[in-house]
Amino acid sequence: SGGAITSKYVDSTTLTAMSRNATVQQVRLAAGVFGSAGLLSGFYSRQRSVTEQDETQLCRPFGNAGALQCSTLRIGAPSDTWKNLVGLEYRGQIGPSLILAVEGTRDLTGKTTTWNVPLYFMPKEPGGVLNGGIVIGGQSGQSGFTVKVFVGAVAPPFLR
């Protein structure tokens, strides 16, 4: 999969306005096994992303009166980043109305590991759909963790 990005910046030596088209790319291979204990899956992904330079305010002389004309610009071309990711995930039902997932992803290029533990709440009525939950997650090299709560509408009857 992929998507096109157009980056606008100025050359770092000449300050000439430039633009560059790039394509964000990803190739992903995944496999899983589903059994009575739940789903165990894994993946490998190779991703190319484009990172633009931070915006900088640049002021240049304007006219003969000593005035300045300032612009907010990105100085320098964007950089391409390639990542190689591997991940594992387990999903299983714990109790009549809870589904637990444990997800881990290792960035082999950047040497970081991220993890998430989503807990999905199911309605108790028969034929109900997942409609909310909580996710606790974190990343190596960062202190603390994140907590996210999500709520979704119950799906229309034709999706049940």
Side-chain angles (χ1 to χ4, degrees):
S1 66
I5 294 177
T6 301
S7 299
K8 295 184 179 190
Y9 62 96
V10 294
D11 182 86
S12 58
T13 13
T14 64
L15 299 180
T16 304
M18 311 207 46
S19 69
R20 179 179 144 213
N21 293 324
T23 302
V24 176
Q25 300 168 332
Q26 175 176 317
V27 174
R28 184 179 177 109
L29 302 171
V33 177
F34 184 74
S36 60
L39 170 70
L40 179 63
S41 63
F43 73 88
Y44 168 77
S45 177
R46 177 136 169 97
Q47 300 175 351
R48 175 185 178 217
S49 60
V50 178
T51 305
E52 293 186 312
Q53 304 296 332
D54 291 334
E55 288 186 334
T56 304
Q57 188 171 36
L58 179 68
C59 297
R60 300 179 238 187
F62 181 74
N64 295 331
L68 295 175
Q69 177 184 20
C70 297
S71 304
T72 302
L73 306 168
R74 295 184 191 277
I75 300 175
S79 60
D80 292 339
T81 304
W82 286 95
K83 288 184 181 181
N84 293 292
L85 306 173
V86 292
L88 285 174
E89 176 182 17
Y90 168 76
R91 286 181 187 232
Q93 189 164 349
I94 54 171
S97 58
L98 293 175
I99 292 181
L100 173 72
V102 179
E103 307 166 350
T105 301
R106 178 72 177 166
D107 178 351
L108 301 174
T109 309
K111 308 290 187 221
T112 59
T113 302
T114 57
W115 58 271
N116 287 302
V117 181
L119 185 61
Y120 301 96
F121 305 112
M122 292 176 59
K124 293 188 188 234
E125 71 271 1
V129 295
L130 301 179
N131 67 346
I134 186 169
V135 180
I136 300 170
Q139 182 174 336
S140 62
Q142 295 182 356
S143 61
F145 57 91
T146 60
V147 176
K148 301 173 190 172
V149 176
F150 57 93
V151 179
V154 175
F158 63 86
L159 290 179
R160 293 185 192 172

mmCIF file of all heavy atoms in Angstrom, residues 2-10 17-24 48-53 55 74 76-80:
data_model
loop_
_atom_site.group_PDB
_atom_site.id
_atom_site.type_symbol
_atom_site.label_atom_id
_atom_site.label_comp_id
_atom_site.label_asym_id
_atom_site.label_seq_id
_atom_site.Cartn_x
_atom_site.Cartn_y
_atom_site.Cartn_z
ATOM 1 N N GLY A 2 0.311 2.369 -0.285
ATOM 2 C CA GLY A 2 1.102 3.590 -0.303
ATOM 3 C C GLY A 2 0.250 4.807 -0.583
ATOM 4 O O GLY A 2 -0.914 4.696 -0.937
ATOM 5 N N GLY A 3 0.841 5.958 -0.389
ATOM 6 C CA GLY A 3 0.167 7.216 -0.643
ATOM 7 C C GLY A 3 1.186 8.265 -1.032
ATOM 8 O O GLY A 3 2.343 8.201 -0.615
ATOM 9 N N ALA A 4 0.771 9.230 -1.827
ATOM 10 C CA ALA A 4 1.695 10.263 -2.309
ATOM 11 C C ALA A 4 1.693 11.461 -1.364
ATOM 12 O O ALA A 4 0.660 11.837 -0.831
ATOM 13 C CB ALA A 4 1.294 10.713 -3.705
ATOM 14 N N ILE A 5 2.872 12.032 -1.163
ATOM 15 C CA ILE A 5 3.046 13.224 -0.333
ATOM 16 C C ILE A 5 3.877 14.224 -1.138
ATOM 17 O O ILE A 5 4.887 13.865 -1.732
ATOM 18 C CB ILE A 5 3.790 12.892 0.975
ATOM 19 C CG1 ILE A 5 2.947 11.986 1.848
ATOM 20 C CG2 ILE A 5 4.189 14.143 1.708
ATOM 21 C CD1 ILE A 5 3.632 11.563 3.125
ATOM 22 N N THR A 6 3.436 15.477 -1.147
ATOM 23 C CA THR A 6 4.218 16.540 -1.761
ATOM 24 C C THR A 6 4.779 17.416 -0.647
ATOM 25 O O THR A 6 4.027 17.958 0.147
ATOM 26 C CB THR A 6 3.369 17.397 -2.713
ATOM 27 O OG1 THR A 6 2.843 16.544 -3.736
ATOM 28 C CG2 THR A 6 4.193 18.497 -3.346
ATOM 29 N N SER A 7 6.096 17.502 -0.573
ATOM 30 C CA SER A 7 6.767 18.302 0.447
ATOM 31 C C SER A 7 7.273 19.593 -0.177
ATOM 32 O O SER A 7 7.909 19.569 -1.225
ATOM 33 C CB SER A 7 7.943 17.531 1.037
ATOM 34 O OG SER A 7 7.503 16.346 1.642
ATOM 35 N N LYS A 8 6.982 20.717 0.472
ATOM 36 C CA LYS A 8 7.487 22.020 0.026
ATOM 37 C C LYS A 8 8.506 22.504 1.046
ATOM 38 O O LYS A 8 8.254 22.466 2.244
ATOM 39 C CB LYS A 8 6.342 23.013 -0.117
ATOM 40 C CG LYS A 8 5.378 22.605 -1.213
ATOM 41 C CD LYS A 8 4.306 23.633 -1.430
ATOM 42 C CE LYS A 8 3.411 23.137 -2.566
ATOM 43 N NZ LYS A 8 2.490 24.124 -3.031
ATOM 44 N N TYR A 9 9.658 22.958 0.530
ATOM 45 C CA TYR A 9 10.750 23.390 1.390
ATOM 46 C C TYR A 9 11.633 24.346 0.616
ATOM 47 O O TYR A 9 11.400 24.594 -0.566
ATOM 48 C CB TYR A 9 11.557 22.174 1.876
ATOM 49 C CG TYR A 9 12.205 21.391 0.762
ATOM 50 C CD1 TYR A 9 13.528 21.615 0.404
ATOM 51 C CD2 TYR A 9 11.494 20.432 0.043
ATOM 52 C CE1 TYR A 9 14.123 20.908 -0.629
ATOM 53 C CE2 TYR A 9 12.076 19.715 -0.990
ATOM 54 C CZ TYR A 9 13.394 19.958 -1.315
ATOM 55 O OH TYR A 9 13.976 19.266 -2.338
ATOM 56 N N VAL A 10 12.632 24.906 1.290
ATOM 57 C CA VAL A 10 13.626 25.733 0.598
ATOM 58 C C VAL A 10 14.986 25.064 0.736
ATOM 59 O O VAL A 10 15.276 24.412 1.743
ATOM 60 C CB VAL A 10 13.692 27.189 1.139
ATOM 61 C CG1 VAL A 10 12.401 27.932 0.848
ATOM 62 C CG2 VAL A 10 14.023 27.236 2.605
ATOM 63 N N ALA A 17 12.951 28.070 -3.365
ATOM 64 C CA ALA A 17 11.768 27.249 -3.100
ATOM 65 C C ALA A 17 11.815 25.983 -3.945
ATOM 66 O O ALA A 17 12.123 26.018 -5.129
ATOM 67 C CB ALA A 17 10.502 28.036 -3.404
ATOM 68 N N MET A 18 11.517 24.848 -3.314
ATOM 69 C CA MET A 18 11.562 23.567 -3.992
ATOM 70 C C MET A 18 10.382 22.722 -3.518
ATOM 71 O O MET A 18 9.763 23.022 -2.516
ATOM 72 C CB MET A 18 12.874 22.839 -3.677
ATOM 73 C CG MET A 18 14.075 23.734 -3.875
ATOM 74 S SD MET A 18 15.625 22.978 -4.283
ATOM 75 C CE MET A 18 15.352 21.832 -5.503
ATOM 76 N N SER A 19 10.101 21.670 -4.254
ATOM 77 C CA SER A 19 9.107 20.697 -3.803
ATOM 78 C C SER A 19 9.557 19.320 -4.245
ATOM 79 O O SER A 19 10.324 19.172 -5.194
ATOM 80 C CB SER A 19 7.718 21.019 -4.349
ATOM 81 O OG SER A 19 7.667 20.810 -5.729
ATOM 82 N N ARG A 20 9.072 18.325 -3.525
ATOM 83 C CA ARG A 20 9.451 16.947 -3.832
ATOM 84 C C ARG A 20 8.247 16.048 -3.608
ATOM 85 O O ARG A 20 7.572 16.132 -2.599
ATOM 86 C CB ARG A 20 10.582 16.512 -2.910
ATOM 87 C CG ARG A 20 11.017 15.102 -3.136
ATOM 88 C CD ARG A 20 12.167 14.708 -2.222
ATOM 89 N NE ARG A 20 11.949 13.308 -1.873
ATOM 90 C CZ ARG A 20 12.260 12.765 -0.736
ATOM 91 N NH1 ARG A 20 12.793 13.486 0.206
ATOM 92 N NH2 ARG A 20 12.026 11.495 -0.513
ATOM 93 N N ASN A 21 7.975 15.217 -4.594
ATOM 94 C CA ASN A 21 6.916 14.224 -4.458
ATOM 95 C C ASN A 21 7.543 12.922 -3.975
ATOM 96 O O ASN A 21 8.588 12.513 -4.477
ATOM 97 C CB ASN A 21 6.212 13.979 -5.801
ATOM 98 C CG ASN A 21 5.451 15.195 -6.252
ATOM 99 O OD1 ASN A 21 4.880 15.919 -5.451
ATOM 100 N ND2 ASN A 21 5.452 15.446 -7.545
ATOM 101 N N ALA A 22 6.887 12.285 -3.023
ATOM 102 C CA ALA A 22 7.374 11.011 -2.500
ATOM 103 C C ALA A 22 6.172 10.110 -2.253
ATOM 104 O O ALA A 22 5.054 10.582 -2.061
ATOM 105 C CB ALA A 22 8.150 11.228 -1.214
ATOM 106 N N THR A 23 6.427 8.843 -2.252
ATOM 107 C CA THR A 23 5.376 7.869 -1.996
ATOM 108 C C THR A 23 5.691 7.129 -0.712
ATOM 109 O O THR A 23 6.782 6.578 -0.565
ATOM 110 C CB THR A 23 5.261 6.867 -3.156
ATOM 111 O OG1 THR A 23 5.009 7.594 -4.360
ATOM 112 C CG2 THR A 23 4.136 5.883 -2.927
ATOM 113 N N VAL A 24 4.747 7.158 0.211
ATOM 114 C CA VAL A 24 4.866 6.378 1.432
ATOM 115 C C VAL A 24 4.486 4.948 1.067
ATOM 116 O O VAL A 24 3.470 4.721 0.409
ATOM 117 C CB VAL A 24 3.936 6.943 2.524
ATOM 118 C CG1 VAL A 24 3.984 6.079 3.765
ATOM 119 C CG2 VAL A 24 4.298 8.380 2.839
ATOM 120 N N ARG A 48 8.182 2.604 4.411
ATOM 121 C CA ARG A 48 8.948 3.799 4.053
ATOM 122 C C ARG A 48 8.077 4.993 4.398
ATOM 123 O O ARG A 48 6.935 5.096 3.946
ATOM 124 C CB ARG A 48 9.262 3.832 2.564
ATOM 125 C CG ARG A 48 9.948 5.121 2.151
ATOM 126 C CD ARG A 48 10.117 5.163 0.642
ATOM 127 N NE ARG A 48 10.730 6.395 0.242
ATOM 128 C CZ ARG A 48 10.417 7.047 -0.852
ATOM 129 N NH1 ARG A 48 9.495 6.562 -1.672
ATOM 130 N NH2 ARG A 48 11.009 8.162 -1.170
ATOM 131 N N SER A 49 8.614 5.894 5.215
ATOM 132 C CA SER A 49 7.878 7.110 5.541
ATOM 133 C C SER A 49 8.744 8.318 5.193
ATOM 134 O O SER A 49 9.956 8.213 5.022
ATOM 135 C CB SER A 49 7.488 7.138 7.025
ATOM 136 O OG SER A 49 8.639 7.091 7.838
ATOM 137 N N VAL A 50 8.105 9.453 5.069
ATOM 138 C CA VAL A 50 8.778 10.702 4.735
ATOM 139 C C VAL A 50 8.621 11.651 5.913
ATOM 140 O O VAL A 50 7.511 11.887 6.382
ATOM 141 C CB VAL A 50 8.166 11.335 3.459
ATOM 142 C CG1 VAL A 50 8.830 12.657 3.149
ATOM 143 C CG2 VAL A 50 8.307 10.371 2.287
ATOM 144 N N THR A 51 9.742 12.169 6.411
ATOM 145 C CA THR A 51 9.720 13.087 7.547
ATOM 146 C C THR A 51 10.185 14.456 7.079
ATOM 147 O O THR A 51 11.318 14.608 6.612
ATOM 148 C CB THR A 51 10.635 12.577 8.677
ATOM 149 O OG1 THR A 51 10.244 11.253 9.011
ATOM 150 C CG2 THR A 51 10.543 13.479 9.889
ATOM 151 N N GLU A 52 9.307 15.444 7.197
ATOM 152 C CA GLU A 52 9.666 16.805 6.797
ATOM 153 C C GLU A 52 10.476 17.475 7.899
ATOM 154 O O GLU A 52 10.373 17.117 9.073
ATOM 155 C CB GLU A 52 8.407 17.619 6.511
ATOM 156 C CG GLU A 52 7.648 17.130 5.295
ATOM 157 C CD GLU A 52 6.487 18.024 4.942
ATOM 158 O OE1 GLU A 52 5.701 18.379 5.832
ATOM 159 O OE2 GLU A 52 6.382 18.377 3.763
ATOM 160 N N GLN A 53 11.276 18.465 7.502
ATOM 161 C CA GLN A 53 12.038 19.257 8.468
ATOM 162 C C GLN A 53 11.070 20.110 9.289
ATOM 163 O O GLN A 53 9.966 20.416 8.837
ATOM 164 C CB GLN A 53 13.040 20.170 7.738
ATOM 165 C CG GLN A 53 13.999 19.453 6.820
ATOM 166 C CD GLN A 53 14.916 18.501 7.555
ATOM 167 O OE1 GLN A 53 15.225 18.686 8.717
ATOM 168 N NE2 GLN A 53 15.340 17.454 6.866
ATOM 169 N N GLU A 55 9.430 23.400 10.920
ATOM 170 C CA GLU A 55 9.257 24.754 10.383
ATOM 171 C C GLU A 55 10.141 25.725 11.154
ATOM 172 O O GLU A 55 10.318 25.603 12.364
ATOM 173 C CB GLU A 55 7.796 25.190 10.489
ATOM 174 C CG GLU A 55 6.903 24.470 9.505
ATOM 175 C CD GLU A 55 5.479 25.010 9.515
ATOM 176 O OE1 GLU A 55 5.039 25.553 10.547
ATOM 177 O OE2 GLU A 55 4.812 24.875 8.485
ATOM 178 N N ARG A 74 10.244 25.474 5.765
ATOM 179 C CA ARG A 74 10.975 24.252 6.079
ATOM 180 C C ARG A 74 12.291 24.329 5.303
ATOM 181 O O ARG A 74 12.272 24.408 4.088
ATOM 182 C CB ARG A 74 10.184 23.018 5.665
ATOM 183 C CG ARG A 74 8.897 22.864 6.440
ATOM 184 C CD ARG A 74 8.177 21.575 6.078
ATOM 185 N NE ARG A 74 6.847 21.544 6.607
ATOM 186 C CZ ARG A 74 6.518 21.183 7.847
ATOM 187 N NH1 ARG A 74 7.473 20.855 8.680
ATOM 188 N NH2 ARG A 74 5.275 21.190 8.249
ATOM 189 N N GLY A 76 15.546 22.677 4.006
ATOM 190 C CA GLY A 76 16.125 21.370 3.734
ATOM 191 C C GLY A 76 15.079 20.372 3.284
ATOM 192 O O GLY A 76 13.907 20.461 3.633
ATOM 193 N N ALA A 77 15.526 19.443 2.477
ATOM 194 C CA ALA A 77 14.643 18.423 1.917
ATOM 195 C C ALA A 77 14.185 17.452 3.002
ATOM 196 O O ALA A 77 14.879 17.258 3.998
ATOM 197 C CB ALA A 77 15.376 17.662 0.816
ATOM 198 N N PRO A 78 13.028 16.859 2.814
ATOM 199 C CA PRO A 78 12.567 15.851 3.770
ATOM 200 C C PRO A 78 13.461 14.605 3.699
ATOM 201 O O PRO A 78 14.163 14.392 2.716
ATOM 202 C CB PRO A 78 11.145 15.531 3.300
ATOM 203 C CG PRO A 78 11.085 15.957 1.887
ATOM 204 C CD PRO A 78 12.084 17.060 1.721
ATOM 205 N N SER A 79 13.423 13.821 4.759
ATOM 206 C CA SER A 79 14.235 12.606 4.782
ATOM 207 C C SER A 79 13.336 11.375 4.702
ATOM 208 O O SER A 79 12.208 11.382 5.189
ATOM 209 C CB SER A 79 15.096 12.557 6.044
ATOM 210 O OG SER A 79 14.276 12.568 7.188
ATOM 211 N N ASP A 80 13.851 10.347 4.056
ATOM 212 C CA ASP A 80 13.144 9.071 3.967
ATOM 213 C C ASP A 80 13.593 8.191 5.122
ATOM 214 O O ASP A 80 14.773 8.153 5.466
ATOM 215 C CB ASP A 80 13.473 8.351 2.658
ATOM 216 C CG ASP A 80 12.915 9.079 1.450
ATOM 217 O OD1 ASP A 80 11.978 9.878 1.617
ATOM 218 O OD2 ASP A 80 13.416 8.847 0.343
#
